[in-house]
Amino acid sequence: MTTWSLEYHSFEPDQEGLREALCTLGNGYFATRGAAEEAGAGDIHYPGTYLAGGYNRLATEIAGREIVNEDLVNMPNWLCLSFKPEDGDWFNLLAVDVLSYKQKLDLKNGVLERNLRIRDRDGRETTLATRRLVHMGDPHLAALSWDITPENWGGRMTVCTALDGRVINAGVARYSQLSSTHLITLAAGPAGENAIELLSETSQSRLRIAQTARTEAYQQDRRLNVDRALIVEDDYVGQTLGFDVQPGVATRIEKVVGLYTSRDNAISEPALAARQAIERYGKFAELLETHAGAWSRLWHRCDVVLEGSDRAQMILRLHIFHLLQAASLHTIDLDVGVPARGLHGEAYRGHIFWDELFIFPFINSRIPEVTRALLRYRYRRLDEARRLAAEAGFKGAMYPWQSGSDGREESQRVHLNPKSGRWIEDHSYLQRHVNAAVAYNVWRYYEVTGDREFLGFFGAEMLFEIARFWASAVTWNPQRQRYDICGVMGPDEFHDQYPWRDGPGLDNNAYTNVMVAWVLQRAIDAYRIVGTECQNELCAALSLSPAEPDTWDDISRKLFVPFHDEGIISQFEDYERLEEFDWDGYRAKYGDIHRLDRLLEAEGDTVNRYKASKQADVVMLLYLFSAHELDSLFEQLGYQLDAGWKTRTIEYYEKRTSHGSTLSRIVSSWVLARRDRRHSWALLNEALESDVADVQGGTTAEGIHLGAMAGTVDLIQRGQTGLEVHDDTLSLDVGLPEEVSSMRLRLRFRGHWLELEITHDLVRLAVPDDWAGPHKVMLDGTLYTLGAGKRLDVPRRKAQRV
Ligand code: BGC
């Protein structure tokens, strides 16, 4: 095994869906699943191509009512490539003997390779070596290269290359009852002598997509004169290339694809741009060189080196790789957020959730310009969030739980329980805490970059409007002399209502309330930081009265936080009235109990009755805030907590959590990093395996879990290093697991790179000549000075003795 590639050594039809998601190639502008070029969509293969922000809305009649869903559209399949010998069949892995098979995702260069040897039913043996790239330098290009060697046969060979617009969204079985035909073909035909083009449009959002493909054949590096024939069918354009082959002589087929849409910058018209794109580029090798160069620059910024565990290292790189394919430098010019399941599949329809909370820390510390662009996706939808708030009877701005093209609430109102076959009311839109997540992301971006212009032009306005929303969502409880937030859901999706109350919503979700207390204070900070001129501008534009920040301050000190069992923070008010759940009994009965909600509903019961969580909820607080921040938050709220509350709370909920969301293990591993290193490392390894090993049994094929992927990287870069900056001091609290011998990474802070190397003996920090601080470094209780252009080596044993 190498730490730079994901490899498979046999063809396993039942694993294809998973491998396709994991071998997706993309560049932030578009991505294509790692499906075999010769295969169409069916039970085994699902070749999906998704454009960042490429949504379309369709209505469906379900359970007697019309529901409307917006989906990230599966775009025409540009991969199509196959061959056949004269009198033979088109290449199909399921119809031949596979003599050898190797598939490799080369993470360093961003190339997907297959090397295989097959024997068809007439005894013809063929070797095939394929390579694929989705260009990281030019987001509108992709390319395929196939080396086909007939080992024991010769004669006429035909290759078929195509652009296939007959695709629908069929990647998630649960959605199969929903409308799924999103594309209309506008034109399909030749584009010059050796190329084809397909122009499609999404049926409702009217996004035009132009694809062109130029296919050439080479033998011994010489371009072949081939017999070409055009095939134009409904929603499909293809071309066959006929030529002679000899035993043992390879023919290289190269397909270069251009992809533009009507939303692109700096073009006249997408079809014209796509045609020019493929005319301007030469051979696959040239594209590969510039593509690999773009990846090499990205890796220089983003790699995390972990020595001691090759598997953990490989998976970490795989995670960074997919993050960079979902949000890359090309994102900067787009109006998009990061879909929870990447551009890798159709689960959650490409919607954007609070998961960005887990994703942005990695991007902040590597390419903060990308975070800025992603935050502007939210800023552009601020008006829609204002409308949502007003519609629900609140002030300010209320961001939706699920967001797509225009920022309206995209959460479904019913969802299918595959265990029972029933359509269930879905109340997840009540996860108003997403508003705290948007504010949190704005603030953390500002902290890492010091970007006051962003704060002044965009961030502060979002913070103020979110603060206003919360200020209008609280109610004063005269008995307690505290503010309540009622009728919401916390992050734990197992609980959406009280078993004893009609109607959805819970009161005083502790996570939400504490987050709100923090957010309100940050809105006040932003008010101060932007300066008088900007304050005046914003006050005028938003009709913000100087008294509002005073109200925010008051609320942020008097929000209610529920407790039970002597010092355990309750997930929500009255949580203690729920029944304990029979974890052992259900594990014995079902084995996999991640999705208890579905199992219990199918039994006619409801998980709402039990002290059982799908994912970290209260514990999220210990994940998002440093010990120092949390202590001051509770002090601000007027709660005096004893020293043991954190450990007690973690232990209490760890026992009662099914980790039914891949985000959950990230949080648990993080909060245990210093309390129980062994357990924390085990959870980190489980989190690393979430997608590679498809731990949820089938969900990865529908799209990777980007929050968990980014979370694992952040677990190394901040969780295990304990890296924090506050009061102009950079502090480290290293928790290097025994299984890892060293870690090396570079982090971007306020426009400069910080290099960090940690072994069991040494912590080494190095900063460039123009490092602007912090210059104070706190390591295991000792304060050091880190001058610009200097390197600081602290022996760990010594540090630990202090
Ligand atoms: C989790 C949510 C998450 C969503 C999208 C759900 O399973 O419970 O917290 O936002 O997936 O990843």
Side-chain angles (χ1 to χ4, degrees):
M1 180 175 86
T2 94
T3 57
W4 279 107
S5 61
L6 175 68
E7 292 178 15
Y8 301 107
H9 295 271
S10 60
F11 174 60
E12 306 290 342
D14 63 340
Q15 293 289 305
E16 271 301 282
L18 169 64
R19 294 179 183 182
E20 287 174 358
L22 292 172
C23 293
T24 296
L25 293 182
N27 54 26
Y29 174 82
F30 82 100
T32 296
R33 289 164 63 85
E37 291 86 359
E38 70 280 3
D43 291 345
I44 293 168
H45 303 280
Y46 191 70
T49 288
Y50 309 96
L51 275 162
Y55 296 105
N56 193 57
R57 205 177 284 284
L58 290 178
T60 313
E61 177 115 354
I62 283 282
R65 62 167 128 162
E66 187 187 80
I67 54 167
V68 177
N69 280 303
E70 184 171 72
D71 283 83
L72 196 64
V73 176
N74 180 18
M75 296 295 170
N77 182 15
W78 59 271
L79 294 175
C80 315
L81 195 65
S82 195
F83 73 91
K84 73 180 181 82
E86 197 168 17
D87 306 327
D89 296 324
W90 289 109
F91 168 50
N92 171 2
L93 268 179
L94 293 168
V96 292
D97 290 333
V98 180
L99 306 178
S100 68
Y101 184 93
K102 184 173 166 196
Q103 180 172 334
K104 174 172 146 187
L105 177 65
D106 170 353
L107 303 169
K108 193 174 237 164
N109 298 304
V111 177
L112 179 62
E113 299 174 3
R114 279 187 307 166
N115 284 289
L116 47 104
R117 193 177 168 113
I118 51 159
R119 186 189 303 120
D120 70 12
R121 58 188 158 83
D122 299 319
R124 278 179 288 242
E125 286 187 17
T126 309
T127 305
L128 182 64
T130 76
R131 285 174 299 164
R132 176 190 307 179
L133 60 87
V134 170
H135 208 282
M136 193 41 107
D138 183 335
H140 303 283
L141 288 175
L144 302 174
S145 161
W146 274 29
D147 287 340
I148 314 170
T149 313
E151 297 295 350
N152 58 357
W153 57 281
R156 201 74 183 151
M157 181 187 287
T158 309
V159 161
C160 183
T161 174
L163 297 168
D164 189 355
R166 298 170 303 191
V167 297
I168 58 166
N169 274 48
V172 178
R174 286 185 306 290
Y175 304 164
S176 62
Q177 293 176 46
L178 305 172
S179 303
S180 53
T181 306
H182 293 278
L183 290 173
I184 298 164
T185 300
L186 302 181
E193 192 223 329
N194 50 6
I196 48 176
E197 69 182 358
L198 183 72
L199 185 63
S200 324
E201 189 175 70
T202 52
S203 63
Q204 170 272 331
S205 56
R206 299 283 172 212
L207 174 71
R208 282 190 174 201
I209 307 103
Q211 291 184 350
T212 44
R214 192 193 68 214
T215 310
E216 312 269 15
Y218 300 88
Q219 271 172 10
Q220 275 138 5
D221 242 15
R222 275 201 317 276
R223 211 172 110 186
L224 287 185
N225 278 327
V226 297
D227 289 337
R228 288 180 192 261
L230 187 71
I231 312 162
V232 182
E233 290 170 8
D234 284 349
D235 310 321
Y236 175 97
V237 55
Q239 216 179 24
T240 54
L241 282 64
F243 48 89
D244 290 327
V245 294
Q246 291 157 34
V249 178
T251 304
R252 171 164 297 178
I253 308 295
E254 293 191 357
K255 180 175 183 180
V256 177
V257 172
L259 196 167
Y260 277 83
T261 81
S262 47
R263 289 206 192 127
D264 289 329
N265 296 328
I267 61 162
S268 154
E269 187 271 326
L272 178 64
R275 239 174 281 144
Q276 284 169 345
I278 56 163
E279 278 161 15
R280 287 176 186 169
Y281 285 89
K283 296 180 73 174
F284 183 87
E286 291 168 41
L287 282 168
L288 178 61
E289 196 181 325
T290 47
H291 168 69
W295 266 111
S296 142
R297 291 188 290 279
L298 277 179
W299 280 118
H300 183 59
R301 270 184 178 255
C302 300
D303 194 19
V304 171
V305 181
L306 193 71
E307 274 160 3
S309 169
D310 283 357
R311 181 149 176 93
Q313 171 73 86
M314 185 280 282
I315 301 175
L316 266 186
R317 287 190 169 135
L318 178 75
H319 289 182
I320 296 170
F321 181 76
H322 284 307
L323 278 161
L324 293 172
Q325 298 198 112
S328 81
L329 291 175
H330 306 299
T331 309
I332 294 169
D333 287 333
L334 301 174
D335 174 29
V336 298
V338 190
R341 306 298 280 274
L343 300 171
H344 296 59
E346 291 163 16
Y348 290 127
R349 306 190 167 81
H351 294 165
I352 295 129
F353 294 66
W354 76 317
D355 302 42
E356 291 185 333
L357 192 79
F358 294 81
I359 296 168
F360 285 5
F362 170 75
I363 310 178
N364 278 341
S365 60
R366 296 313 200 298
I367 325 177
E369 197 61 19
V370 171
T371 322
R372 192 180 208 269
L374 293 164
L375 288 170
R376 292 201 59 203
Y377 162 86
R378 295 292 192 178
Y379 179 76
R380 288 190 202 94
R381 285 148 186 84
L382 187 55
D383 261 342
E384 183 59 26
R386 287 186 178 108
R387 205 190 56 75
L388 272 177
E391 209 175 76
F394 300 111
K395 298 209 173 82
M398 184 176 87
Y399 280 95
W401 172 239
Q402 295 189 27
S403 184
S405 63
D406 58 10
R408 75 178 76 168
E409 178 58 82
E410 301 290 355
S411 300
Q412 48 192 359
R413 290 304 162 110
V414 286
H415 67 246
L416 181 70
N417 179 2
K419 295 275 178 227
S420 66
R422 276 191 286 269
W423 287 88
I424 317 289
E425 291 290 327
D426 192 321
H427 302 129
S428 54
Y429 67 92
L430 287 174
Q431 291 188 67
R432 306 284 184 227
H433 65 85
V434 63
N435 284 280
V438 173
Y440 182 91
N441 290 339
V442 166
W443 192 258
R444 291 301 194 217
Y445 164 78
Y446 167 71
E447 279 183 330
V448 172
T449 58
D451 186 349
R452 280 166 62 112
E453 300 307 320
F454 173 80
L455 200 62
F457 281 106
F458 312 109
E461 189 175 342
M462 287 195 268
L463 290 170
F464 296 167
E465 292 291 42
I466 291 172
R468 274 179 157 171
F469 160 69
W470 288 118
S472 72
V474 300
T475 46
W476 177 246
N477 184 323
Q479 279 92 46
R480 288 190 190 121
Q481 293 287 299
R482 281 200 173 262
Y483 290 99
D484 292 334
I485 299 179
C486 298
V488 297
M489 263 178 85
D492 165 30
E493 297 194 328
F494 279 179
H495 291 97
D496 64 351
Q497 89 177 73
Y498 291 105
W500 52 82
R501 194 196 274 178
D502 285 338
L506 302 159
D507 301 338
N508 292 315
N509 167 252
Y511 167 75
T512 306
N513 289 16
V514 176
M515 282 297 276
V516 171
W518 183 86
V519 167
L520 293 173
Q521 282 298 328
R522 298 299 76 76
I524 298 168
D525 287 349
Y527 187 77
R528 192 175 30 80
I529 292 169
V530 294
T532 322
E533 194 169 320
C534 189
Q535 246 171 40
N536 292 341
E537 283 173 7
L538 282 166
C539 284
L542 307 177
S543 307
L544 185 81
S545 90
E548 282 184 74
D550 292 340
T551 314
W552 302 341
D553 185 59
D554 183 55
I555 299 169
S556 80
R557 296 174 190 283
K558 295 185 188 147
L559 273 157
F560 175 61
V561 179
F563 288 85
H564 70 278
D565 288 357
E566 314 206 347
I568 304 285
I569 299 183
S570 305
Q571 193 169 306
F572 45 81
E573 193 171 353
D574 287 334
Y575 175 89
E576 67 277 14
R577 287 177 59 190
L578 305 182
E579 291 171 38
E580 289 291 357
F581 183 69
D582 176 12
W583 293 95
D584 292 340
Y586 270 77
R587 275 200 190 99
K589 188 165 167 190
Y590 289 106
D592 178 358
I593 57 165
H594 285 121
R595 293 304 303 264
L596 268 181
D597 52 337
R598 293 179 176 165
L599 297 175
L600 289 169
E601 193 278 333
E603 287 185 354
D605 198 351
T606 165
V607 72
N608 269 318
R609 288 179 48 211
Y610 303 100
K611 289 178 176 151
S613 305
K614 175 180 174 188
Q615 63 205 99
D617 194 298
V618 178
V619 177
M620 279 296 301
L621 294 171
L622 290 111
Y623 170 68
L624 295 178
F625 300 113
S626 64
H628 161 84
E629 284 174 311
L630 260 190
D631 292 345
S632 52
L633 252 174
F634 279 102
E635 194 180 310
Q636 168 193 316
L637 281 162
Y639 288 102
Q640 270 146 20
L641 305 181
D642 62 41
W645 79 269
K646 293 179 187 130
T647 307
R648 273 200 313 275
T649 306
I650 294 167
E651 282 172 3
Y652 182 89
Y653 288 105
E654 189 60 29
K655 280 190 231 142
R656 293 169 176 81
T657 302
S658 79
H659 296 301
S661 159
T662 53
L663 300 173
S664 194
R665 280 192 194 80
I666 303 289
V667 180
S668 295
S669 171
W670 185 288
V671 299
L672 289 170
R674 313 251 152 2
R675 292 180 171 85
D676 182 348
R677 282 187 199 192
R678 206 158 273 283
H679 192 186
S680 167
W681 177 244
L683 284 161
L684 169 56
N685 275 294
E686 283 173 34
L688 283 168
E689 296 293 336
S690 297
D691 278 322
V692 210
D694 191 19
V695 295
Q696 292 186 338
T699 62
T700 301
E702 301 170 346
I704 54 159
H705 299 81
L706 263 188
M709 285 195 168
T712 55
V713 185
D714 201 33
L715 263 170
I716 299 294
Q717 71 174 20
R718 292 191 306 139
Q720 294 293 336
T721 59
L723 184 89
E724 273 171 36
V725 177
H726 59 84
D727 298 336
D728 282 331
T729 302
L730 189 154
S731 61
L732 289 161
D733 181 6
V734 177
L736 191 70
E738 273 165 36
E739 295 78 355
V740 174
S741 53
S742 75
M743 286 174 356
R744 259 193 337 271
L745 47 112
R746 304 168 77 230
L747 297 168
R748 191 109 180 120
F749 187 75
R750 309 235 165 120
H752 304 288
W753 287 107
L754 167 77
E755 291 183 21
L756 184 60
E757 184 176 344
I758 296 176
T759 66
H760 288 284
D761 302 321
L762 187 82
V763 173
R764 171 171 292 168
L765 285 161
V767 291
D769 289 343
D770 52 359
W771 177 251
H775 295 292
K776 286 186 267 176
V777 174
M778 176 68 89
L779 236 169
D780 299 312
T782 307
L783 203 58
Y784 301 85
T785 303
L786 180 63
K790 292 283 188 290
R791 197 175 88 182
L792 182 68
D793 286 356
V794 183
R796 283 196 66 204
R797 276 194 205 92
K798 178 177 159 233
Q800 278 155 4
R801 271 205 309 275
V802 176

